[in-house]
Amino acid sequence: MVFWYDILDKPTSKGNYLESSASSMFVYALAKGIRNGYLPESYLAVADKGYKGILKEFVKNRCYRTNHLEGTVSVSGLGGNPYRDGSYEYYLSEKVITNDPKGTGAFLQCTVEMERLTNRNMGKGKTVILDSYFNDEHRKDALTGQTLSFHYKWEEQDNNGFSFFAKRVS
């Protein structure tokens, strides 16, 4: 399992702890980078270990059909006098809470990206065939009066067509 600490550059320092939003953000960034081709496939092992670690370490089932995300720092920031001075002690003094919105949001983003990675090759090597057998609809052209076939056509530019695929193929 791979996790990230609240204070990234001090993983072995006293009081430092594994933090769920940081771990989720790193897994999200790795997974999206792999999916978009910015990172090599070899990073998938790290993303997968991180995601499995998040599920095991931070996602807890406390009651019937209800999951909770634990281990998110409530707030971290800089500024104020003397509050939020950026010291190691300051970061460790912030509360660690359950179901924090920014932690839950980061977790949901990393979950979506990991799921998208799982299905990214689903259509590779497949062929789309349009034969006008199903959805073979016709309408009269207002200008010429000719009957035209429409709906789910390769060159159709609106939301009913496959022009997006046609551009990819040609």
Side-chain angles (χ1 to χ4, degrees):
M1 289 183 284
V2 176
F3 299 105
W4 285 267
Y5 283 85
D6 187 45
I7 313 299
L8 295 175
D9 65 341
K10 299 184 185 298
T12 59
S13 296
K14 184 178 179 181
N16 203 0
Y17 57 92
L18 300 172
E19 206 275 334
S20 63
S21 67
S23 297
S24 295
M25 286 186 276
F26 277 106
V27 169
Y28 165 75
L30 289 168
K32 187 165 185 174
I34 295 162
R35 182 177 59 80
N36 286 331
Y38 305 132
L39 296 174
E41 282 289 317
S42 59
Y43 282 68
L44 181 57
V46 177
D48 191 52
K49 284 181 185 177
Y51 186 60
K52 287 176 180 168
I54 291 166
L55 293 175
K56 184 174 183 181
E57 182 74 20
F58 300 119
V59 178
K60 304 296 180 187
N61 187 304
R62 291 204 199 145
C63 58
Y64 181 68
R65 295 191 324 185
T66 303
N67 290 319
H68 299 273
L69 183 70
E70 298 180 348
T72 303
V73 65
S74 62
V75 68
S76 287
L78 298 173
N81 188 9
Y83 186 63
R84 296 181 173 182
D85 62 4
S87 67
Y88 184 77
E89 293 73 26
Y90 154 69
Y91 283 109
L92 293 184
S93 71
E94 294 294 344
K95 292 186 289 185
V96 178
I97 59 176
T98 299
N99 295 334
D100 177 78
K102 68 185 168 305
T104 303
F107 172 70
L108 290 173
Q109 284 187 298
C110 93
T111 299
V112 167
E113 282 301 325
M114 290 302 293
E115 191 65 27
R116 290 179 83 182
L117 272 179
T118 303
N119 298 317
R120 75 185 184 280
N121 293 322
M122 190 178 291
K124 268 194 177 162
K126 306 265 191 241
T127 302
V128 176
I129 298 176
L130 302 172
D131 64 1
S132 293
Y133 181 78
F134 296 101
N135 294 310
D136 187 22
E137 298 181 42
H138 295 83
R139 66 176 168 210
K140 281 200 182 222
D141 184 282
L143 295 174
T144 65
Q146 291 180 326
T147 301
L148 302 174
S149 178
F150 79 104
H151 200 157
Y152 295 114
K153 299 299 173 193
W154 198 249
E155 65 282 345
E156 203 166 16
Q157 297 294 309
D158 63 8
N159 288 332
N160 297 320
F162 287 94
S163 60
F164 172 80
F165 296 120
K167 289 175 190 169
R168 293 281 186 194
V169 173
S170 48

